Amino acid sequence: MNETLEKLEQEIHNAELDSDKKLELEALVAKLKSEQESEKEGLVNDLTKMIEDFESSHPQVTGLLSRVSNFLSNSGI
């Protein structure tokens, strides 16, 4: 999970995004890192929304977000 989040951080850093979207994604990754051990309602929903927002314009970011979302879902979070 940590490796995937680090890859996601790198993709976000390298992606051509407007600053608001980049900050939003960075905040979500920080939240994931801090909460990955605990069950927090809405975390998967936040990821799902981000995936929908970036699906067509940033496929690599979307793929990594999907992997994180699937991991959390399979972990019962």
Side-chain angles (χ1 to χ4, degrees):
M1 177 71 169
N2 286 332
E3 183 179 322
T4 301
L5 290 174
E6 287 177 21
K7 286 180 184 177
L8 181 57
E9 279 182 317
Q10 186 110 11
E11 287 293 327
I12 292 167
H13 178 75
N14 295 331
E16 294 181 19
L17 302 170
D18 65 60
S19 60
D20 289 339
K21 285 293 182 186
K22 192 172 276 199
L23 288 173
E24 187 177 353
L25 281 170
E26 289 170 346
L28 181 58
V29 171
K31 182 178 178 181
L32 286 168
K33 282 184 165 185
S34 69
E35 297 178 356
Q36 66 181 333
E37 297 299 324
S38 63
E39 293 183 14
K40 297 290 181 182
E41 192 170 322
L43 193 54
V44 173
N45 290 338
D46 290 347
L47 281 171
T48 302
K49 182 179 178 341
M50 295 300 285
I51 290 167
E52 290 170 359
D53 289 347
F54 288 96
E55 200 162 29
S56 62
S57 61
H58 297 86
Q60 287 184 311
V61 173
T62 302
L64 289 168
L65 285 171
S66 293
R67 287 175 47 195
V68 171
S69 180
N70 287 336
F71 175 83
L72 292 173
S73 181
N74 291 337
S75 298
I77 297 175

